[in-house]
């Protein structure tokens, strides 16, 4: 039996829009991913595991010809319901295709760019999925992968704090999923070396960008939430700049590469 995530529950991903650092992380991750895909008129772009379809719509609004591929009927229905009327009002609409990432129903080299954001850790066959993304991308095109880093600085600090609490202070373990635990609907716990190794089998990497630092650490989330807006944004931007220089510590890593032929 194949076990896959076909019922996405946002509460187990990153709680979008609930805190300032979450909003910042999600926006930056999207900006960097779509920036590397470079949507523009005349370009063909595939969004693998397009979910609710918001990124496919944004790229279509830039004039690109966009296909959103998604196996979940539930997710695709959401995308059609919410994205299509919006798209239709503002410009070209993405084409929605029902497809698994490891068996993409497209010809070799038919896309200028392929993006896969926040999804590869949900795939049961991630290596085959990357091979497929490389196959359908032109030889000078780019595959762009945005992946949560479970060895980020935030994960390391949260793990150390829990060890201290539970070991030295003999407190009982906290209830619920810990910051550094992989959600139940993930198949792979990614960190930078694994990302590079897996992507590098099928892609010649041209960019490895760290995005955001310290996301979700309770003390940081609370502090940045209470600061005046301009100061909070300045600090979030500074940490993001540090993450860019040290992707191994970043909350999310965005990798881009051309297909290995
Ligand atoms: C967390 S969502 C990310 C959606 C979107 N890319 C975004 O950034 O909002 C993960 C998506 O992966 C899809 N998915 C899970 N397993 C898959 C597979 N093997 N192939 C393709 N998509 C899959 C799910 O249906 C879900 O829509």
């Amino acid at each position: 039996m194949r076990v896959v995530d076909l019922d996405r529950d946002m509460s187990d991903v990153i709680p979008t829009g609930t805190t300032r650092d979450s909003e910042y992380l999600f926006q930056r991750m999207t900006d960097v991913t779509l920036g590397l895909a470079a949507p523009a008129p005349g370009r063909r772009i595939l969004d693998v595991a397009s979910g609710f379809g918001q990124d496919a719509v944004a790229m279509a609004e830039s004039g690109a010809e966009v296909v959103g591929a998604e196996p979940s009927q539930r997710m695709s229905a959401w995308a059609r319901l919410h994205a299509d009327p919006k798209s239709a009002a503002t410009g070209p609409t993405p084409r929605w295709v029902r497809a698994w990432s490891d068996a993409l129903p497209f010809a070799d080299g038919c896309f200028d760019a392929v993006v896969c954001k926040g999804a590869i850790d949900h795939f049961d066959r991630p290596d085959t999925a990357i091979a497929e993304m490389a196959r359908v991308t032109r030889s000078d095109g780019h595959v762009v992968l945005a992946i949560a880093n479970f060895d980020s600085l935030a994960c390391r600090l949260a793990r150390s704090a829990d060890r201290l609490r539970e070991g030295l202070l003999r407190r009982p373990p906290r209830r619920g999923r810990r910051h550094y635990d992989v959600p139940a609907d993930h198949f792979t716990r990614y960190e930078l070396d694994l990302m590079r190794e897996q992507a590098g089998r099928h892609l010649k990497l041209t960019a490895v960008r760290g995005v955001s630092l310290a996301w979700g650490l309770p003390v940081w989330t609370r502090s940045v939430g209470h600061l005046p807006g301009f100061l909070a944004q300045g600090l979030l931007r500074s940490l993001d700049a540090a993450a860019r220089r040290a992707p191994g510590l970043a909350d999310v890593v965005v990798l881009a590469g051309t297909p290995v032929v």
Side-chain angles (χ1 to χ4, degrees):
M1 189 180 76
R2 190 172 188 186
V3 184
V4 287
D5 163 27
L6 294 181
D7 278 329
R8 180 185 181 199
D9 176 353
M10 287 295 283
S11 64
D12 220 12
V13 192
I14 293 173
T16 350
T18 51
T19 62
R20 221 175 225 167
D21 57 335
S22 289
E23 273 175 23
Y24 184 86
L25 167 60
F26 249 72
Q27 192 55 54
R28 276 300 292 157
M29 176 181 176
T30 304
D31 290 350
V32 172
T33 306
L34 302 197
L36 287 165
R43 278 173 68 75
R44 283 200 87 211
I45 302 185
L46 172 66
D47 184 2
V48 172
S50 48
F52 290 133
Q54 75 285 356
D55 297 331
V57 169
M59 291 190 285
E61 282 172 1
S62 304
E65 190 188 324
V66 181
V67 178
E70 168 61 51
S72 159
Q73 233 162 357
R74 184 164 177 249
M75 298 301 291
S76 304
W78 269 98
R80 286 201 171 87
L81 196 66
H82 295 280
D84 286 357
K86 182 173 180 279
S87 264
T90 51
T93 313
R95 185 159 68 87
W96 307 109
V97 172
R98 194 160 185 216
W100 295 106
S101 52
D102 49 274
L104 294 171
F106 308 106
D108 295 359
C110 67
F111 290 100
D112 298 296
V114 174
V115 305
C116 179
K117 182 180 130 253
I120 200 156
D121 36 20
H122 292 247
F123 299 172
D124 53 340
R125 296 167 193 165
D127 189 65
T128 315
I130 301 171
E132 275 292 89
M133 293 184 224
R135 179 186 66 75
V136 302
T137 304
R138 304 165 32 145
S139 57
D140 60 346
H142 283 87
V143 175
V144 185
L145 307 169
I147 310 175
N149 177 17
F150 279 87
D151 199 27
S152 64
L153 179 67
C155 287
R156 294 180 201 193
L157 290 176
R159 196 183 296 115
S160 302
D162 279 353
R163 282 194 186 134
L164 195 71
R165 279 184 74 255
E166 291 160 27
L168 278 184
L169 307 178
R170 304 224 171 270
R171 300 261 173 81
R174 291 182 204 277
R175 293 170 69 93
R177 184 168 77 82
R178 296 168 301 186
H179 189 87
Y180 45 89
D181 287 336
V182 173
D185 57 0
H186 284 202
F187 279 87
T188 311
R189 179 188 184 279
Y190 279 101
E191 36 75 27
L192 185 60
D193 286 345
L194 178 59
M195 296 178 203
R196 279 183 180 279
E197 187 204 313
Q198 212 173 63
R201 273 184 224 139
H202 309 286
L203 304 172
K204 185 172 180 297
L205 293 176
T206 53
V208 178
R209 302 258 170 91
V211 173
S212 160
L213 202 66
W215 170 78
L217 281 177
V219 64
W220 169 238
T221 300
R222 271 198 304 276
S223 315
V224 81
H226 287 119
L227 289 172
F230 75 94
L231 196 53
Q233 286 304 316
L235 286 171
L236 287 162
R237 271 199 296 272
S238 304
L239 288 184
D240 187 55
R244 192 184 161 120
R245 284 192 293 277
L249 299 178
D251 299 317
V252 165
V253 181
V254 183
L255 303 98
T258 52
V260 170
V261 276

